[in-house]
Amino acid sequence: MSKKILILGVNGFIGSALTETILQRTDWQVFGMDMGDDKLKESLGHPRFHFVEGDITINKEWIAYHVKKCDVVLPLVAIATPSLYVTDPLRVFELDFEANLHIVRQCVTYKKRVIFPSTSEVYGMCQDDEFNEETSTLVLGPIHKQRWIYSCSKQLLDRVIFAYGVHEGLDYTLFRPFNWLGPKLDNIFSTKEGSSRVVTQFIADILHRQEIKLVDGGEQRRSFTDIDDGIDALMRIIENPEGKATGQIFNLGNPANDVSIKELAELLVRLVGTYPGYQKVADKVKINAVDSKHHYGVHYQDISRRVPSILRAQTALNWQPKIDLKTALKKTLDYHLANAGEKLDEE
Ligand code: UGA
């Protein structure tokens, strides 16, 4: 049956990729709101894509109307950049928690299915070898380590959504992306030093500054996940065969792509050097260690290793991430380097 999908934050990294896939693979309608549309070139103008420019904290009537009208709601608006957790923690709380709570409540009121982005960050500094949705403990640092306001806001919303599920019958699925990456993660041209997530940051550092900064030496590890694998899982969650995604939390990550940030930096530099005309750029890149206190400030604290257990998504959704790190990085570099030539010459 044709579905009506409401995506708030449709111009984001996940929202824009999801919209493209929905329009390509299904007969569903997408209703989307965002403050910009620069990532939506492939979807704008499509007869089943209904876009409106707006702010979820202001355009509340539009949202209420569309929550009522649609079958599934994906509230994807959030600040998800660690540098902002420490420089603008209140805005993180207001947007990621307060504004989204309002939308979750609308889904309760109108009895609509909500698919909500939790985060790998809820596990914090958990020491488990693999983080498990059911059994892992969520470990956060002290209050003055403001980095955790994002994790804590997301965790509280997870708990609120869960409680609405148990007590008021809210139909929900929570998904936890583990370092998804891809072409439109962040914009490399508006990337100021230290302001972007690591893959885009490093690509910008290689192309613009020829210096990569490894926070506290870069021994910390992440499990990187290609956006296409992530979107594949999200499509299965929306389709929800036999209701298997209902009332569930899913880690969506690729445990096979667990690398240190230092290894990531070295691999990226090597890969950039394989593109025609970029060997010299790659040769010039310096990789230096920096202290997190200087890079992010004293309110930052890091996660040393973050590997998901994906058994639940494998079993319930029959999902398997397929794209290895090198391929994922190449896809991202193909996009940025194809668009970089002109801009680089301008600098
Ligand atoms: C991210 C963000 O919080 C969210 O995007 C998201 O919820 C979640 O994790 C996720 O995608 O799973 P984090 O992995 O710490 O958090 O974000 P990055 O900014 O991509 O940093 C990854 C690692 O690289 C950190 O240890 C950071 O210190 C390091 N880094 C970052 C550097 O060494 N140098 C840099 O220039 C930037």
Side-chain angles (χ1 to χ4, degrees), residues 80 85 119-121 150 179 198 213 215 222 300 302 306:
Y85 311 160
T119 170
S120 64
E121 290 235 349
Y150 170 76
N179 289 84
V198 69
K213 294 184 173 167
V215 172
R222 296 291 188 271
Y300 181 78
D302 212 334
R306 180 154 84 188

Side-chain angles (χ1 to χ4, degrees), residues 32-327:
M33 174 179 275
D34 208 303
M35 300 205 290
D37 63 6
D38 57 297
K39 294 182 182 168
L40 291 167
K41 279 189 198 82
E42 289 79 3
S43 306
L44 286 171
H46 192 288
R48 282 185 284 109
F49 181 45
H50 314 279
F51 174 74
V52 63
E53 203 174 294
D55 178 337
I56 61 156
T57 62
I58 297 170
N59 303 90
K60 293 189 176 168
E61 272 178 38
W62 187 94
I63 291 175
Y65 177 79
H66 283 83
V67 170
K68 253 188 271 180
K69 181 183 171 124
C70 290
D71 307 300
V72 181
V73 181
L74 288 111
L76 302 180
V77 174
I79 293 171
T81 313
S83 62
L84 290 169
Y85 311 160
V86 293
T87 56
D88 209 349
L90 293 176
R91 211 157 69 83
V92 172
F93 173 72
E94 287 158 11
L95 192 65
D96 295 17
F97 184 80
E98 289 187 309
N100 280 291
L101 176 61
H102 176 75
I103 290 153
V104 168
R105 285 191 167 140
Q106 304 243 305
C107 295
V108 175
T109 304
Y110 299 118
K111 302 199 181 319
K112 292 302 164 122
R113 177 153 184 244
V114 63
I115 299 175
F116 195 82
S118 177
T119 170
S120 64
E121 290 235 349
V122 293
Y123 296 104
M125 298 177 290
C126 176
Q127 293 295 310
D128 293 354
D129 287 342
E130 287 193 338
F131 296 168
N132 182 289
E133 300 94 334
E134 195 75 10
T135 57
S136 284
T137 306
L138 313 180
V139 184
L140 305 189
I143 301 301
H144 65 90
K145 294 296 181 189
Q146 297 193 84
R147 188 249 166 79
W148 303 113
I149 199 161
Y150 170 76
S151 171
C152 193
S153 299
K154 286 282 192 181
Q155 185 193 143
L156 186 55
L157 255 186
D158 285 5
R159 293 186 187 278
V160 169
I161 289 169
F162 183 88
Y164 273 127
V166 172
H167 298 282
E168 303 203 15
L170 177 66
D171 182 346
Y172 72 90
T173 304
L174 293 167
F175 66 97
R176 295 185 173 155
F178 278 65
N179 289 84
W180 290 11
L181 77 133
K184 298 178 185 172
L185 176 59
D186 302 290
N187 182 338
I188 59 164
F189 296 112
S190 59
T191 299
K192 292 187 206 73
E193 214 173 318
S195 70
S196 188
R197 280 165 288 188
V198 69
V199 172
T200 327
Q201 186 67 49
F202 283 179
I203 294 173
D205 290 343
I206 294 169
L207 300 182
H208 300 166
R209 289 175 278 273
Q210 274 90 56
E211 185 193 359
I212 284 181
K213 294 184 173 167
L214 295 178
V215 172
D216 295 333
E219 295 302 326
Q220 63 277 36
R221 305 178 74 82
R222 296 291 188 271
S223 301
F224 290 95
T225 311
D226 189 276
I227 180 76
D228 290 340
D229 278 331
I231 296 298
D232 179 29
L234 274 185
M235 291 298 286
R236 289 163 195 258
I237 291 173
I238 299 173
E239 281 156 5
N240 199 11
E242 299 161 48
K244 285 189 178 165
T246 298
Q248 296 288 346
I249 304 177
F250 292 111
N251 288 340
L252 299 179
N254 193 338
N257 290 343
D258 167 40
V259 286
S260 75
I261 299 303
K262 187 167 178 232
E263 287 161 351
L264 172 77
E266 289 164 353
L267 177 56
L268 263 173
V269 175
R270 262 205 315 281
L271 289 175
V272 168
T274 64
Y275 284 76
Y278 280 94
Q279 185 61 56
K280 277 194 186 139
V281 173
D283 287 346
K284 275 198 242 159
V285 176
K286 294 193 174 56
I287 302 182
N288 295 324
V290 292
D291 190 326
S292 60
K293 285 191 189 64
H294 293 119
H295 194 74
Y296 288 114
V298 293
H299 301 300
Y300 181 78
Q301 192 167 26
D302 212 334
I303 295 129
S304 59
R305 188 165 171 272
R306 180 154 84 188
V307 181
S309 158
I310 53 167
L311 197 61
R312 194 181 263 190
Q314 286 169 319
T315 322
L317 306 173
N318 196 21
W319 173 72
Q320 183 62 39
K322 298 189 181 79
I323 303 171
D324 63 76
L325 181 62
K326 205 166 147 190
T327 308

